[in-house]
Amino acid sequence: MGDHGQHGQGARATDVAIVGAGAAGLSLAWRLCGLPPAVRPHVTLLDAPAGPTRPPERTWCYWEEPGGEFDSALTTSWGRLRVRAHDGGAVPVRPAPLRYKMLRSPAFAAFVRPRLERHPGLRRLVAHVGEVADVPGGALVRGVAEDGREVAVRARWVFDSRPPPRPPRARTRLVQHFRGLLVRTPAPVFDPGVADLMDFRTPQPAGGLSFGYLLPCSRTEALVEYTEFSPAVLDDAGYETALTGYARDVLGLRGYEVTGVEEGVIPMTDGHFARRAGAAVFRIGTAGGATRPSTGYTFAAIQRQTRHIAAALARGRTPLPPRAYPRRALAMDAVLLRALHSGRLDGPAFFTGLFGAVPARRLLRFLDGASTPAEEVALGLHTPVRPMLHTVAELPLLRRTPT
């Protein structure tokens, strides 16, 4: 790695440093460790100690054809989905040839571990990372290990998956926040052949929307989740009331055992997440714009970004992560978020109508940011014209604010 100079005295040298071992960090490490030996970089993966800065256990879902690279780690997948209207009416969604895949973070970590352990040039450090800064010829990562020792890593390239220190300036700022229960019932009550993607039989908040999310893994096991798109998160009592109400009053579940709990907060904003934080420092995952503002889906975009990064490094190119979604998709998301936030758009009716009117595969391509302009025009014909046009006219007049 050459002379460390005054900017990196005593620092361990590596080709690539990855800050964070969540979905983005592990995905990138897994891809880099799978490169041919001649171009495989030395990698240092810095994971946060157990506690609030380490990513909690999560469930990631995404659409993909059978035979994907992580299929052996999946909990399950579905070829049939369903959206339930506020009045209980069911809209079937058949995404063939795609399947809706469910991947739990512990299973993903176990899947990538053997490849990481086989790579002699990979080192894992557990540390609270503080400063990440450019230095001549690369970047320097500083942190504190669990035992209090200072840690310094000098890398040619750094990929940081931590949330940025300040949220980007935005005109609309909602959050997708959720709490889910992994449940086991004493009797078979679930249909493992179909998943409820959005169940709008939930009380609706002002300035957003809410829905239930039901992912059956067997006749007696499922992930039951309550999700809101709104300006602020709920307190514990609010989630408890909403989730218990959905499980008991809507789904009719009784006497179930809770085997796990997960919760999270995902930004839904028209702010621009910078993919580059320095000459040699890049942001990945949600921090690098991998989260789709209108849906919260992230995992598939992370895979696209990390494939691109690995290919760039293998070719000796600057590994700038690509844009996760086309500009026109983000522009449409900005309109949708503003229409929801303003209350002009009836969220449950909008999404239910969209799934009912648009062929599933075309709609799923749009949600994944892979639709064509012609498909987007066709999709736009199924949206409520007046609130959308009002919002399109309003957006240029709104200021982007930092908080």
Side-chain angles (χ1 to χ4, degrees), residues 321-364:
R323 294 184 186 278
Y325 306 99
R327 290 181 185 273
R328 64 180 187 275
L330 297 179
M332 288 186 288
D333 285 354
V335 174
L336 176 58
L337 291 178
R338 190 68 196 178
L340 285 172
H341 187 268
S342 67
R344 293 188 198 108
L345 187 66
D346 181 333
F350 170 74
F351 280 106
T352 303
L354 211 55
F355 275 99
V358 179
R361 196 174 181 195
R362 182 188 302 168
L363 182 55
L364 298 184

Side-chain angles (χ1 to χ4, degrees), residues 53 57 59 78 90 109 191 238 244 256 261 269 271 279 341 358 390-391:
T53 57
E57 290 189 4
T59 297
W78 299 269
D191 177 0
T244 301
Y256 55 84
V261 179
T269 170
H341 187 268
V358 179
H390 188 161
T391 306

Side-chain angles (χ1 to χ4, degrees), residues 370-396:
S371 52
T372 66
E375 288 175 329
E376 290 155 10
V377 170
L379 188 145
L381 298 176
H382 298 287
T383 62
V385 175
R386 183 172 296 176
M388 290 306 196
L389 286 180
H390 188 161
T391 306
V392 168
E394 177 191 51
L395 276 176

Side-chain angles (χ1 to χ4, degrees), residues 103-336:
L103 178 61
R104 295 274 297 149
S105 57
F108 181 62
F111 175 88
V112 303
R113 187 178 301 120
R115 178 183 286 186
L116 270 56
E117 291 177 344
R118 286 195 302 269
H119 178 25
L122 180 123
R123 181 174 69 245
R124 295 190 72 152
L125 297 176
V126 177
H128 287 289
V129 172
E131 181 187 19
V132 178
D134 283 322
V135 297
L140 187 65
V141 180
R142 294 188 182 276
V144 179
E146 290 182 290
D147 61 5
R149 291 181 300 107
E150 290 189 358
V151 172
V153 176
R154 189 184 190 283
R156 176 65 188 94
W157 306 108
V158 175
F159 298 91
D160 193 347
S161 65
R162 298 173 302 163
R166 291 174 299 279
R169 299 173 69 89
R171 295 165 296 192
T172 305
R173 189 174 288 108
L174 297 174
V175 288
Q176 179 180 162
H177 51 104
F178 58 88
R179 181 172 292 179
L181 304 177
L182 292 160
V183 303
R184 181 181 295 123
T185 58
V189 296
F190 301 118
D191 177 0
V194 59
D196 283 327
L197 197 62
M198 288 177 156
D199 186 343
F200 291 112
R201 295 176 293 174
T202 52
Q204 295 300 310
L209 67 104
S210 75
F211 55 89
Y213 187 46
L214 177 63
L215 302 181
C217 303
S218 72
R219 298 283 293 167
T220 59
E221 296 172 301
L223 172 63
V224 179
E225 193 167 280
Y226 174 81
T227 300
E228 266 193 21
F229 298 178
S230 60
V233 301
L234 303 179
D235 58 17
D236 283 340
Y239 287 119
E240 181 66 24
T241 298
L243 190 49
T244 301
Y246 177 62
R248 182 189 61 211
D249 302 332
V250 176
L251 299 181
L253 300 182
R254 298 287 188 275
Y256 55 84
E257 175 190 0
V258 176
T259 60
V261 179
E262 65 173 47
E263 58 187 7
V265 180
I266 301 171
M268 304 183 74
T269 170
D270 65 353
H272 301 303
F273 287 83
R275 293 166 290 147
R276 195 163 199 164
V281 182
F282 305 97
R283 297 196 183 278
I284 56 173
T286 294
T291 296
R292 183 73 193 264
S294 61
T295 64
Y297 284 107
T298 306
F299 190 79
I302 284 173
Q303 303 317 312
R304 292 194 294 270
Q305 285 191 330
T306 54
R307 283 191 200 101
H308 181 97
I309 292 167
L313 287 170
R315 297 184 181 115
R317 298 175 180 172
T318 300
L320 174 66
R323 294 184 186 278
Y325 306 99
R327 290 181 185 273
R328 64 180 187 275
L330 297 179
M332 288 186 288
D333 285 354
V335 174
L336 176 58

